[in-house]
């Protein structure tokens, strides 16, 4: 074996030494208990979200085989979101008429499709109307579906708010008659009939430990500072208001992303989550991309109005679930806690149709702190890093000597 081959082997051994002990790059582990088949699921507990990276890239599943080798199991992260499928239903606008009650629009649905939504759009930008919706099979006998349903549109320098979607009980009629109770003729520009089917998601309801309300009179602003018990992935906030008068206020929701201690105290950096309008018509549930957080700031812009009296606030987040494939017998651990970890890439994400529908959940053992000196695989050739650097220096010197020799020979 010549010198060049020796150098190649040394280089290979050097870089291989860094591939050992992957599990030691993480801070925490939990043993997976109850593995009986190739496919299982793991429901991530709330306690780990304060210790993983915000993007969840540092979750790994490592196994220790009987021969003390470390292997990695593939997984796919799923957020148990709700699924909404909207199907537009074709219809014909047969006629429109008017009497002392208001303006009528008669619609015909030529198919046997059921509906549960009516989406309306008007040329008017400011209105506050109530509507009735009736159904009939023959236009002789009419049945009430909804009565005095409120639709609203407000557009000015301070507010741009519209609530014109009519949610109705699932109904199947040949004809629908819409009554808009208005003194002026509604400029109905678009009407859509649809059937919306929602598959409910799985949510966790998180504990709110403290709500601090700050009234900034000069800015005409109410700020709510909300503290959760621990960092958790939040995807929606619901705000309940005690007041029974009508209100429409712009709202901004932010979360505490970072904090820095300065000479003048702590400086907090908030990042945007979502904005919208808190109002007296809707449920006031605000949804946004799932984000790991512990502190929220909600800003309600009152303008010249009396501040609202907030009753309760609830924070919810999707259940996070790992779909895991095991290919070899081993003692497996869920590991996490490495801010420098890159997002893993596994084949199973491209073959989701082969994942069984009913997966058995695994139990998680108690959280353990990973000892950085702990080695689960075979010992590397060079245990002391000083030896590794010494080898690198020798390699560099030898390569340099060969380079100089080649240059002189030319």
């Amino acid at each position: 074996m010549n010198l060049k081959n020796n150098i190649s082997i040394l280089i290979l051994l050097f870089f291989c030494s860094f591939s050992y002990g992957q599990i030691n790059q993480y801070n925490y582990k939990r043993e997976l208990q109850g593995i009986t088949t190739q496919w299982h699921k793991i429901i991530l507990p709330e306690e780990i979200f304060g210790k993983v990276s915000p993007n969840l890239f540092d979750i790994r599943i490592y196994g220790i085989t009987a021969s003390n080798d470390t292997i990695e199991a593939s997984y796919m992260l799923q957020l148990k979101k709700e699924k909404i499928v909207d199907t537009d239903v074709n219809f014909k606008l047969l006629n429109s008429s008017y009497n002392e009650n208001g303006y009528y629009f008669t619609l015909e649905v030529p198919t046997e499709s059921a509906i549960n939504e009516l989406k309306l759009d008007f040329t008017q930008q400011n209105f506050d109307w109530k509507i009735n919706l009736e159904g009939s099979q023959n236009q002789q006998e009419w049945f009430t579906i909804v009565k005095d349903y409120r639709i609203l549109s407000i557009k000015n320098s301070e507010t741009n708010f519209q609530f014109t979607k009519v949610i109705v009980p699932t109904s199947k009629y040949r004809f629908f008659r819409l009554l808009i109770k208005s003194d002026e003729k509604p400029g109905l520009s678009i009407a859509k009939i649809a059937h919306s089917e929602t598959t409910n998601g799985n949510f966790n309801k998180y504990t709110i430990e403290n709500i601090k309300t700050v009234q900034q009179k000069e800015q005409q602003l109410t700020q709510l500072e909300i503290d959760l018990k621990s960092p958790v992935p939040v995807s929606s906030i619901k705000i309940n208001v005690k007041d029974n008068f009508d209100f429409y206020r712009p709202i901004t929701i932010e979360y505490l992303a970072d904090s820095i201690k300065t000479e003048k105290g702590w400086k907090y950096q908030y990042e945007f989550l979502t904005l919208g309008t808190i109002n007296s018509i809707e449920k006031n549930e605000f949804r946004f991309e799932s984000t790991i957080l512990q502190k929220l700031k909600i800003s309600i812009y009152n303008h010249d109005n009396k501040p609202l009296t907030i009753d309760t606030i609830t924070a919810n987040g999707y259940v996070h679930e790992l779909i895991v494939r095991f290919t070899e017998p081993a003692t497996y651990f869920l590991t996490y806690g490495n801010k420098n970890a890159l997002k893993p890439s596994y084949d199973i994400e491209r073959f989701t149709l082969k994942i069984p529908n009913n997966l058995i959940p695994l139990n998680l053992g108690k959280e353990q702190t990973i000892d950085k000196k702990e080695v689960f695989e075979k010992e590397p050739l060079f245990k002391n890093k000083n030896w590794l650097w010494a080898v690198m220096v020798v390699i560099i010197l030898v390569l340099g000597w060969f380079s100089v020799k080649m240059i002189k020979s030319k």
Side-chain angles (χ1 to χ4, degrees):
M1 187 177 293
N2 58 36
L3 185 58
K4 288 185 178 180
N5 289 337
N6 287 333
I7 293 172
S8 300
I9 293 172
L10 286 172
I11 293 172
L12 180 63
L13 289 172
F14 176 79
F15 287 106
C16 283
S17 68
F18 285 105
S19 66
Y20 289 111
Q22 300 173 80
I23 199 169
N24 294 332
Q25 298 172 12
Y26 298 82
N27 295 325
Y28 308 98
K29 66 178 182 179
R30 289 172 180 255
E31 185 175 352
L32 301 182
Q33 302 167 348
I35 300 174
T36 56
T37 63
Q38 183 181 23
W39 293 93
H40 282 281
K41 66 180 179 180
I42 302 169
I43 297 174
L44 298 181
E46 292 182 21
E47 306 85 60
I48 79 165
F49 290 105
K51 299 173 181 178
V52 296
S53 61
N55 51 27
L56 301 178
F57 287 176
D58 59 336
I59 293 177
R60 297 289 188 278
I61 298 173
Y62 288 122
I64 311 302
T65 67
S67 58
N68 205 32
D69 290 328
T70 300
I71 58 177
E72 185 172 351
S74 303
Y75 75 84
M76 183 171 64
L77 174 64
Q78 288 187 339
L79 275 62
K80 305 298 288 182
K81 296 182 179 181
E82 68 279 9
K83 297 180 181 178
I84 302 174
V85 179
D86 287 334
T87 304
D88 288 342
V89 178
N90 295 325
F91 71 95
K92 295 179 182 178
L93 178 61
L94 295 183
N95 55 58
S96 59
S97 58
Y98 168 79
N99 63 18
E100 66 275 8
N101 295 323
Y103 290 83
Y104 291 86
F105 300 88
T106 304
L107 314 173
E108 180 186 8
V109 178
T111 64
E112 294 185 358
S113 301
I115 74 160
N116 56 14
E117 279 187 2
L118 192 62
K119 303 173 184 178
L120 306 174
D121 197 7
F122 301 91
T123 56
Q124 288 95 334
Q125 293 184 340
N126 290 281
F127 57 82
D128 188 353
W129 298 326
K130 290 186 177 180
I131 68 168
N132 291 351
L133 183 66
E134 299 173 310
S136 174
Q137 299 295 358
N138 53 21
Q139 295 196 79
Q140 300 298 320
E141 186 178 15
W142 291 92
F143 301 92
T144 300
I145 300 173
V146 293
K147 186 175 183 180
D148 290 335
Y149 192 103
R150 191 177 181 186
I151 58 175
L152 176 73
S153 177
I154 301 174
K155 187 172 183 179
N156 53 42
S157 59
E158 298 177 348
T159 303
N160 186 2
F161 173 77
Q162 194 172 80
F163 181 75
T164 57
K165 180 191 288 186
V166 184
I167 308 298
V168 303
T170 300
S171 307
K172 187 184 290 186
Y173 291 101
R174 179 70 183 274
F175 303 96
F176 292 91
R177 185 166 65 184
L178 173 67
L179 168 62
I180 300 177
K181 300 177 181 180
S182 169
D183 294 331
E184 65 171 315
K185 184 178 180 179
L188 182 60
S189 59
I190 299 176
K192 289 185 178 181
I193 296 177
H195 182 264
S196 180
E197 187 173 349
T198 302
T199 302
N200 293 330
N202 292 339
F203 292 88
N204 289 320
K205 184 177 180 180
Y206 300 123
T207 302
I208 293 179
E209 287 203 323
N210 184 53
I211 300 176
K212 180 182 178 182
T213 303
V214 179
Q215 301 292 351
Q216 299 184 11
K217 294 183 179 180
E218 292 185 2
Q219 288 78 23
Q220 299 178 322
L221 177 70
T222 299
Q223 280 194 337
L224 306 172
E225 296 178 1
I226 301 165
D227 295 313
L228 302 179
K229 182 179 179 181
S230 61
V232 286
V234 179
S235 55
S236 68
I237 295 291
K238 187 175 182 181
I239 305 173
N240 295 314
V241 180
K242 282 186 179 180
D243 304 302
N244 55 13
F245 54 79
D246 283 335
F247 56 88
Y248 320 96
R249 313 279 174 88
I251 185 173
T252 302
I253 301 178
E254 302 169 283
Y255 76 101
L256 181 62
D258 198 4
S259 58
I260 303 172
K261 190 173 184 180
T262 65
E263 295 179 355
K264 297 181 180 180
W266 285 95
K267 185 177 181 181
Y268 299 103
Q269 178 184 340
Y270 283 86
E271 291 191 6
F272 173 82
L273 281 175
T274 189
L275 55 79
T277 304
I278 186 170
N279 62 82
S280 53
I281 298 178
E282 298 176 282
K283 293 181 179 180
N284 293 315
E285 185 173 4
F286 302 90
R287 302 196 174 202
F288 40 84
E289 192 72 24
S290 180
T291 305
I292 298 176
L293 56 87
Q294 188 172 4
K295 190 177 183 68
L296 285 157
K297 183 169 67 176
I298 300 177
S299 301
I300 303 174
Y301 301 90
N302 300 311
H303 302 300
D304 295 321
N305 301 294
K306 172 187 174 183
L308 299 173
T309 304
I310 305 301
D311 186 9
T312 58
I313 296 176
T314 56
N316 298 308
Y318 297 116
V319 170
H320 285 53
E321 184 178 274
L322 302 183
I323 307 298
V324 190
R325 182 183 65 191
F326 300 97
T327 57
E328 298 181 49
T331 302
Y332 285 94
F333 296 87
L334 173 70
T335 64
Y336 49 95
N338 180 357
K339 294 182 179 180
N340 298 319
L342 300 177
K343 183 180 180 181
S345 178
Y346 300 118
D347 291 336
I348 63 172
E349 294 182 358
R350 297 169 177 84
F351 301 96
T352 56
L353 294 178
K354 294 189 176 181
I355 299 175
N357 292 325
N358 297 318
L359 299 177
I360 300 173
L362 296 178
N363 296 320
L364 291 174
K366 292 183 179 180
E367 182 179 86
Q368 305 173 47
T369 302
I370 296 176
D371 185 356
K372 299 304 178 182
K373 296 180 181 179
E374 186 178 9
V375 178
F376 292 93
E377 293 194 10
K378 294 179 179 178
E379 290 285 337
L381 179 63
F382 299 105
K383 192 171 182 180
N384 191 321
K385 287 186 177 181
N386 292 331
W387 281 103
L388 299 177
W389 288 115
V391 171
M392 280 299 294
V393 170
V394 172
I395 292 171
I396 292 169
L397 291 174
V398 172
L399 289 175
W401 180 79
F402 269 106
S403 299
V404 172
K405 186 176 180 181
M406 290 175 65
I407 291 170
K408 286 183 177 181
S409 65
K410 289 182 180 181

